[in-house]
Amino acid sequence: MQNLTEIVKKIEAPLLFLSKDGYKNLPLVKNFENSMLRFIDRLKNFANISTHDGAFGIILKNKTRELEKTFLNFDTCSIDDKKERIDRALAIVRDMLRHCNELTRSSSGQKTAVDADDVKRKVDGLYEKLSLPVQYVKGIGPKVSQLLGKKNIKTVEDLLYFFPRKYEDRRSLKQISSTIVGNRETIIGNIVDVRIQRYRNTKIFEAAIDDGSEKLVAKWFHGNFDYLRKTFKKGDRFILTGDIKSYLFEKNMIHPDFERLDEGSDELLHFKRIVPVYSETTSLHQKYIRKIMMNAVHGYRSYMVSPIPQEICERNGLVDINESIKNIHFPDSDQNIDLYNGFKSAAHRRVVFDEFFFFELGMALKKKGYILDTGIKFNTEGPLVDKFLRVLPFTLTNAQMRVIEEIHHDMAEKYPMNRLLQGDVGSGKTVVSMVSMITACQNGYQSAIMAPTEILAEQHFSNIQGWSASLDLTVCLLTGSTKTRERKEIIQRIETGDINIIVGTHALIQEGINFKNLGLVVIDEQHRFGVVQRAILREKGINPDVLVMTATPIPRTLAMTVYGDLDISVIDELPPGKKPIKTKVFYESSRHRVYDIIRKEIGKGNQVFIVYPLVEESETLDLKDATGMARHLQEDTFPEFKVGLIHGKMKGREKNKIMDQFLEKNINILVSTTVIEVGIDIPTASLMIIEHAERFGLSQLHQLRGRVGRSDVPSYCILIVHHYGSDEARRRLRVMEQTNDGFAIAEEDLAIRGPGDFMGTRQSGLPDFRVSNILRDAIILNRARQEAFSLVKDDPYLAKPEHAMLKEVLLRRWQGRLDFAKTG
């Protein structure tokens, strides 16, 4: 192994010398190709007689072959090309040295000490290259850089992760006579005629190709005809790929891909291979994108680092990360194209596993961090909880009691609770959270519950204040609408510990609000809060317990990913007697029937919600708006009833006044926007009407429907459709008619929208998945999660020498968010 390392270092030394000071010595060098190839011959001999089997032997041979290819014809290249080849060779050599060092360590069985600063320098050096602006890649100037920036491709690393959206099989050539109309085919032939034809007012550029079996005409209806005329010359030989058409018994190709074949040309980028197809942007077409991607892959893929331990790679059959990047962009000709188009090739698997592994490793460390934190060990056996459960006018469900036990188990531990509580609309999450808050209070600590809207905070305050009266617990409400004098008094009472339970909105996390001893934080409808807000509230106590609640059911795969650091409780049972809400789609043409149903429900003493997508009329959108329709419904349609209006642009006090009137049944019909989506509780509201239902997402429709059916009154939801729209819209509406099960709806919503849209994960402080899809790649996600959590269990601080680089790369991937995002 020492001899091999010495050979590689002898190759590295002159490369380092030439790359110094902006390659100033490069023009002076003569016969560099021969001297390099002599060293490479020694490497080849070493590789041929090497006793190393398995992965290392294969890597050694592949890297030697790559190195040899890099220096062939080196002396005749341009200066720019020589620079690029030296960079490429240096990357290959560094990779070989890394593999040599790893093999030396593993074969000696020694766990040698690692210099953390040295590891950091190495990782910084690699990321310095990957962080370079895309303009450093050959073929990319300022204009192209701007165009790529529109696709959020700003660095070399971004470009390497700009993977093909599909692949075309151009490996097999066909004679023109054998091509089939309607198929996409690849042909080779000689140009026999070039002309510009006029058809009516349209100019068409035509190039006739003959391969000896038949003629075919390639046609361009637009483009740079001067360029095409200079390119296609009689007698030149071309290769073309395109869809075969037929016109007047003659085979055509419209706007084909093409490349001129020079004498002895054998390395083609766009033909005779599996060809990558990228998503295009204006002025950036496939052939140009492939050229710059080839330059990026050749020049920079060797800087990609993924130090997943070798034993994990072997257990999961993972191939080398650098080879994977190359093959994803430019697969070898013997690969299965169906696996590539399904994103299931070995190369795709490696990159997907890589993304999931580093994500789950971060999650595992966060979760381990909770265990390593010292929290509050609560006594969960006090009398107040028993008293509370006795005075409740209803009995808790088995699911609620099970979840209370899970929460109490966490609260009794010495490390902080971090639990996600899921429950469908109306499942009784607030009561469960109240039991948790009472437990904290009877131990002498304060509890805080943060809601996303003032309306929901008001409702929580009303419920919690009513429950607390018999328990001698003091409760306050703090929102943006709280008056200055009252606010000062509340803040002072919070600081002295005079208030036990604090209910509020984001006002709770503002500066100047200090808790005496915050022991429990409850965050309701977590997806409405960014990770920053949740973390700030948590930091107002000393490692308080955290209970995160959501009425938006989260499918298991997504919960495991986005909330992998939290324990999860599910209330999967609705209170007895709660009836499903009957849901029906109505077209605009049946509006008169809908109005009849409204009159019928109000006649029974019930109330009605009507939800619109807009607050006010829009000049650009042909949609009904809440403000205009409330006026129309009151004046023209239901003059005999009281119609109210509520929307997000109203001030807090105004909204509260309207909701109080609706609750007191002084309003029969409440016209609203989606401001009533979350948590509003009106027992006598029995009918929800959603206008332009095709415009709403599935989870949002389910949340809005959940505003009715809050008691034993039979309830209904009518979805009024103006334009059926896309297949997705029809699918959403069908699901709403078929089921009331929030978890089934969530699974379907996830399948329709994809993970990013479903969670809004861009605001969650979590790394973006560039290539992975948690639905398509669920099996890989499970494996990566198991491996990551197992590794952290064995090495909770990633302190072992062999994990030094892993730790450094992890910190790079998460960019400091591991400590920060402790509330999930």
Side-chain angles (χ1 to χ4, degrees):
M1 182 54 62
Q2 187 177 0
N3 291 339
L4 173 61
T5 304
E6 284 173 6
I7 296 169
V8 178
K9 284 186 173 178
K10 282 179 180 177
I11 295 172
E12 183 186 36
L15 295 173
L16 289 171
F17 171 75
L18 288 178
S19 66
K20 282 172 70 175
D21 301 327
Y23 300 90
K24 71 176 184 180
N25 298 311
L26 188 55
L28 308 175
V29 175
K30 306 293 182 188
N31 298 320
F32 190 65
E33 178 183 334
N34 287 334
S35 60
M36 283 292 103
L37 289 176
R38 278 197 298 272
F39 280 120
I40 290 167
D41 282 340
R42 290 174 64 187
L43 262 185
K44 285 163 73 175
N45 291 333
F46 194 98
N48 289 335
I49 62 170
S50 174
T51 56
H52 298 295
D53 297 322
F56 181 78
I58 294 167
I59 289 167
L60 179 59
K61 286 173 183 172
N62 287 342
K63 297 293 177 189
T64 304
R65 200 177 301 125
E66 276 185 59
L67 211 51
E68 182 180 34
K69 211 170 176 183
T70 303
F71 286 109
L72 283 173
N73 305 316
F74 181 88
D75 292 341
T76 60
C77 291
S78 68
I79 290 292
D80 283 343
D81 201 11
K82 284 179 179 178
K83 288 178 184 177
E84 187 187 329
R85 289 188 181 213
I86 287 171
D87 281 347
R88 195 188 312 166
L90 269 172
I92 296 166
V93 165
R94 284 171 184 148
D95 210 25
M96 292 177 85
L97 286 171
R98 178 172 63 82
H99 284 295
C100 288
N101 291 337
E102 283 176 3
L103 190 66
T104 301
R105 278 203 303 274
S106 62
S107 60
S108 67
Q110 295 174 343
K111 301 295 182 189
T112 53
V114 172
D115 184 337
D117 290 336
D118 187 41
V119 170
K120 187 176 187 307
R121 273 194 299 273
K122 283 181 182 175
V123 173
D124 285 348
L126 293 167
Y127 274 95
E128 187 181 345
K129 286 286 189 182
L130 293 173
S131 302
L132 288 171
V134 285
Q135 275 183 255
Y136 278 75
V137 175
K138 185 180 176 182
I140 299 180
K143 187 177 177 183
V144 174
S145 176
Q146 281 186 341
L147 292 169
L148 290 170
K150 290 178 182 177
K151 285 187 168 291
N152 214 25
I153 300 168
K154 295 173 182 175
T155 67
V156 169
E157 186 179 29
D158 293 336
L159 193 61
L160 289 172
Y161 275 105
F162 179 50
F163 288 157
R165 61 183 174 84
K166 67 174 184 177
Y167 299 84
E168 282 186 1
D169 194 345
R170 298 186 184 176
R171 290 173 290 190
S172 60
L173 296 170
K174 285 246 185 117
Q175 286 191 323
I176 295 173
S177 60
S178 303
T179 58
I180 299 169
V181 173
N183 283 5
R184 194 164 181 81
E185 308 277 21
T186 300
I187 61 150
I188 287 181
N190 296 317
I191 304 299
V192 294
D193 191 19
V194 177
R195 59 185 178 268
I196 293 178
Q197 295 278 47
R198 285 186 179 274
Y199 294 94
R200 295 177 185 162
N201 295 322
T202 303
K203 284 200 302 184
I204 301 172
F205 183 89
E206 296 184 353
I209 297 102
D210 192 336
D211 69 350
S213 72
E214 194 178 331
K215 265 202 313 188
L216 175 145
V217 179
K219 295 182 178 180
W220 285 262
F221 292 88
H222 51 79
N224 187 335
F225 285 5
D226 287 338
Y227 166 76
L228 291 170
R229 192 187 292 111
K230 288 174 187 173
T231 302
F232 287 95
K233 293 177 180 173
K234 283 186 182 181
D236 281 356
R237 193 165 177 75
F238 275 80
I239 185 166
L240 298 93
T241 293
D243 296 328
I244 303 293
K245 308 284 185 184
S246 179
Y247 179 71
L248 297 178
F249 305 105
E250 183 179 61
K251 287 180 178 175
N252 293 176
M253 271 189 188
I254 312 300
H255 289 260
D257 272 0
F258 60 86
E259 196 164 321
R260 188 161 63 91
L261 298 177
D262 297 320
E263 282 294 317
S265 174
D266 59 352
E267 279 226 18
L268 295 171
L269 185 56
H270 315 291
F271 303 96
K272 288 188 178 179
R273 68 190 307 159
I274 295 173
V275 175
V277 179
Y278 298 89
S279 66
E280 291 183 0
T281 188
T282 312
S283 303
L284 276 185
H285 302 300
Q286 289 302 322
K287 288 176 74 172
Y288 187 79
I289 294 173
R290 281 183 211 120
K291 282 180 182 175
I292 61 174
M293 290 310 306
M294 180 64 87
N295 293 336
V297 168
H298 275 326
Y300 293 95
R301 70 182 163 97
S302 56
Y303 295 102
M304 296 293 289
V305 59
S306 173
I308 297 174
Q310 186 62 31
E311 63 271 18
I312 293 177
C313 292
E314 287 174 2
R315 250 194 319 269
N316 293 279
L318 302 179
V319 295
D320 179 72
I321 188 71
N322 303 126
E323 286 299 303
S324 298
I325 295 291
K326 181 188 84 71
N327 282 329
I328 286 176
H329 287 289
F330 300 102
D332 291 334
S333 290
D334 60 351
Q335 297 295 303
N336 182 332
I337 192 170
D338 292 333
L339 290 178
Y340 275 83
N341 275 322
F343 300 95
K344 292 185 177 178
S345 69
H348 283 98
R349 279 190 70 254
R350 177 63 171 90
V351 177
V352 169
F353 189 96
D354 177 81
E355 280 202 309
F356 282 147
F357 179 79
F358 279 98
F359 178 84
E360 293 294 350
L361 192 62
M363 284 296 191
L365 284 169
K366 283 173 67 182
K367 190 163 188 174
K368 198 75 177 176
Y370 300 145
I371 295 171
L372 297 172
D373 284 340
T374 302
I376 304 161
K377 191 171 181 178
F378 290 104
N379 176 10
T380 59
E381 299 296 325
L384 278 184
V385 171
D386 292 337
K387 184 177 180 181
F388 171 63
L389 295 176
R390 281 199 306 273
V391 299
L392 281 176
F394 51 84
T395 304
L396 297 188
T397 63
N398 291 331
Q400 285 172 309
M401 293 304 295
R402 184 191 70 243
V403 169
I404 287 170
E405 280 182 29
E406 291 168 356
I407 292 170
H408 272 169
H409 178 270
D410 285 2
M411 294 182 78
E413 297 284 352
K414 64 183 179 184
Y415 49 82
M417 170 175 72
N418 281 276
R419 186 167 285 277
L420 173 69
L421 172 56
Q422 290 195 74
D424 208 345
V425 178
S427 62
K429 296 180 298 299
T430 310
V431 177
V432 169
S433 71
M434 182 65 184
V435 171
S436 315
M437 289 189 282
I438 293 168
T439 302
C441 293
Q442 71 183 6
N443 279 266
Y445 288 88
Q446 292 168 302
S447 299
I449 178 167
M450 186 164 74
T453 65
E454 290 195 9
I455 290 176
L456 187 51
E458 285 264 8
Q459 189 166 293
H460 278 322
F461 175 67
S462 175
N463 287 332
I464 290 169
Q465 191 178 42
W467 290 331
S468 299
S470 61
L471 304 174
D472 294 326
L473 295 175
T474 53
V475 186
C476 75
L477 175 67
L478 189 62
T479 70
S481 298
T482 306
K483 292 179 180 176
T484 307
R485 184 183 296 175
E486 186 185 357
R487 177 187 174 79
K488 282 182 180 176
E489 184 187 334
I490 288 172
I491 290 172
Q492 190 176 355
R493 293 179 67 199
I494 291 172
E495 288 177 356
T496 60
D498 188 33
I499 296 177
N500 306 112
I501 299 175
I502 300 92
V503 182
T505 55
H506 62 279
L508 290 181
I509 61 174
Q510 291 173 353
E511 284 186 30
I513 298 173
N514 300 304
F515 294 80
K516 183 183 180 185
N517 53 354
L518 182 61
L520 175 68
V521 172
V522 179
I523 298 165
D524 195 13
E525 287 305 325
Q526 57 72 34
H527 66 288
R528 298 298 184 95
F529 293 107
V531 69
V532 180
Q533 295 164 306
R534 300 197 295 267
I536 291 171
L537 182 55
R538 186 181 186 275
E539 293 304 316
K540 287 187 176 284
I542 301 173
N543 292 333
D545 284 6
V546 176
L547 181 65
V548 173
M549 300 197 300
T550 177
T552 305
I554 302 164
R556 182 179 168 275
T557 48
L558 198 56
M560 184 175 73
T561 307
V562 180
Y563 299 107
D565 57 323
L566 301 184
D567 296 302
I568 299 175
S569 290
V570 180
I571 302 178
D572 51 7
E573 178 185 359
L574 293 176
K578 187 170 173 63
K579 297 170 184 173
I581 300 160
K582 292 179 181 174
T583 305
K584 179 78 176 156
V585 173
F586 280 77
Y587 296 100
E588 171 66 24
S589 56
S590 302
R591 180 171 292 277
H592 63 284
R593 290 175 56 202
V594 175
Y595 288 166
D596 287 343
I597 293 168
I598 291 174
R599 291 187 180 92
K600 187 177 172 185
E601 283 303 303
I602 295 174
K604 294 178 189 173
N606 298 328
Q607 293 166 283
V608 178
F609 284 107
I610 306 180
V611 175
Y612 292 90
L614 300 178
V615 175
E616 294 167 339
E617 189 176 2
S618 166
E619 291 181 6
T620 56
L621 295 171
D622 184 21
L623 302 174
K624 288 183 164 57
D625 64 286
T627 307
M629 286 305 295
R631 193 183 311 114
H632 165 70
L633 291 170
Q634 182 66 87
E635 294 173 2
D636 305 325
T637 313
F638 300 111
E640 70 273 31
F641 301 130
K642 176 64 176 147
V643 178
L645 172 67
I646 189 169
H647 55 73
K649 290 186 178 179
M650 290 178 169
K651 291 183 177 175
R653 279 191 217 94
E654 198 179 351
K655 282 190 279 192
N656 293 338
K657 183 181 174 184
I658 296 290
M659 288 311 300
D660 288 342
Q661 289 177 347
F662 195 47
L663 190 59
E664 291 161 8
K665 299 187 76 171
N666 294 324
I667 291 174
N668 306 109
I669 301 168
L670 183 60
V671 174
S672 170
T673 57
T674 55
V675 70
I676 55 100
E677 178 187 346
V678 174
I680 306 302
D681 196 353
I682 308 292
T684 54
S686 66
L687 178 59
M688 167 62 70
I689 294 169
I690 303 172
E691 294 268 9
H692 294 284
E694 74 278 7
R695 305 275 304 190
F696 292 90
L698 197 44
S699 285
Q700 199 169 34
L701 288 171
H702 180 61
Q703 290 294 317
L704 289 168
R705 176 169 62 182
R707 297 312 105 221
V708 297
R710 310 291 287 187
S711 63
D712 58 358
V713 176
S715 297
Y716 310 91
C717 178
I718 292 175
L719 308 173
I720 299 182
V721 175
H722 294 250
H723 306 287
Y724 234 130
S726 65
D727 290 341
E728 282 188 8
R730 286 194 287 275
R731 187 173 164 188
R732 288 196 296 269
L733 297 171
R734 271 199 308 275
V735 171
M736 285 294 292
E737 284 188 310
Q738 289 165 359
T739 183
N740 274 255
D741 182 342
F743 286 93
I745 286 169
E747 291 284 358
E748 188 67 21
D749 197 24
L750 178 61
I752 291 171
R753 288 201 282 160
D757 274 353
F758 183 93
M759 285 306 302
T761 45
R762 289 198 175 276
Q763 63 85 51
S764 68
L766 302 173
D768 294 324
F769 292 139
R770 283 166 151 148
V771 289
S772 311
N773 180 304
I774 64 167
L775 300 178
R776 182 191 68 215
D777 306 318
I779 293 172
I780 303 175
L781 169 61
N782 276 319
R783 291 293 306 150
R785 180 175 171 80
Q786 288 166 14
E787 294 286 9
F789 273 73
S790 174
L791 188 147
V792 169
K793 185 179 179 182
D794 180 55
D795 185 9
Y797 294 103
L798 297 185
K800 292 184 177 181
E802 62 267 34
H803 294 155
M805 185 168 273
L806 185 70
K807 182 177 182 178
E808 202 57 49
V809 171
L810 176 75
L811 292 171
R812 277 277 184 172
R813 298 275 185 106
W814 277 77
Q815 296 178 344
R817 286 176 285 197
L818 285 175
D819 291 332
F820 184 57
K822 276 195 172 179
T823 51

